[in-house]
Amino acid sequence: MATRRLLAVGLFAFFLLIPGLSVFSPGRDGKLLSVSEAISFSMSVNAATSQLQISASGVAGHSGNVTLALLALGSTQVFLIDVPVAFGASGDFTWSTNLANFGQWPAFDCVGMLGTMGSDGSQLHSAPWGLRMRRFSIESMAGVPLPAGGNFSLPLPNTTTPEFPVTWTAIQGTALNGTMPECLLFATAVPGIEGVLPVN
């Protein structure tokens, strides 16, 4: 157990040191127009279920759309994935997908945002949330079984509060060349947390 915990801490520390791309990731400092605190949006990853989960809240009975913008490392092309949102009677919405579905992707950075209508018919946009995936050789795992993962909280750079949740997990996947297994490491956080999802 101690070895697995040490590996988990080491993996995430290594993950934080990997330079990221500073692209299309608006922060929470007023740079993004029409951001509404009346709605909310977040993403998280779960090691126990190997799932990516999207959570959102808005006006009960209304619909919307979550747009995920993915940029593969080494590429300049942004891929957009849309997830339709339908808020129930409580105004909440959750959606999940297996992280193995990202196994055919190269390492990437992703920023997601919710767009929906307010109770007065105005267009609302949530603050953004980020997802990052990196790939490592299984040999670097030193035989420790996957999945592994955890969660903690960090403030934005140069601040102490508030703190925002960071979740991470590592699962076994197949190398893009299809010849050997690899470790796929995922993390979610508010864009702007230094070393996790840096912004311009």
Side-chain angles (χ1 to χ4, degrees):
M1 180 62 75
T3 302
R4 185 168 184 171
R5 183 175 297 122
L6 181 61
L7 171 71
V9 172
L11 263 176
F12 196 78
F14 181 58
F15 177 81
L16 289 176
L17 295 174
I18 298 172
L21 297 177
S22 298
V23 294
F24 63 80
S25 303
R28 290 174 176 255
D29 55 3
K31 292 181 182 178
L32 182 67
L33 298 178
S34 302
V35 169
S36 172
E37 297 301 327
I39 61 174
S40 68
F41 165 72
S42 65
M43 294 190 288
S44 61
V45 290
N46 187 308
T49 62
S50 297
Q51 299 274 314
L52 166 69
Q53 179 168 303
I54 287 175
S55 300
S57 64
V59 178
H62 283 209
S63 61
N65 195 71
V66 168
T67 299
L68 304 176
L70 289 87
L71 177 66
L73 296 191
S75 171
T76 58
Q77 185 174 4
V78 176
F79 296 89
L80 300 179
I81 299 173
D82 289 323
V83 178
V85 172
F87 296 111
S90 65
D92 295 324
F93 172 83
T94 59
W95 176 87
S96 62
T97 187
N98 197 304
L99 291 170
N101 292 330
F102 294 103
Q104 300 304 310
W105 281 80
F108 64 79
D109 288 337
C110 168
V111 171
M113 188 179 301
L114 166 68
T116 186
M117 301 294 283
S119 56
D120 61 356
S122 61
Q123 183 68 33
L124 302 179
H125 298 281
S126 72
W129 209 266
L131 167 69
R132 173 176 282 185
M133 189 265 275
R134 296 294 185 267
R135 307 179 75 99
F136 301 96
S137 68
I138 287 293
E139 288 77 12
S140 66
M141 302 299 294
V144 175
L146 297 176
N151 60 80
F152 55 95
S153 297
L154 287 175
L156 293 174
N158 304 314
T159 67
T160 56
T161 59
E163 293 190 342
F164 297 95
V166 178
T167 65
W168 71 275
T169 189
I171 65 171
Q172 182 171 313
T174 302
L176 292 179
N177 62 17
T179 61
M180 65 186 70
E182 280 191 338
C183 168
L184 308 183
L185 181 60
F186 297 85
T188 67
V190 171
I193 292 181
E194 188 64 33
V196 178
L197 290 163
V199 298
N200 289 327

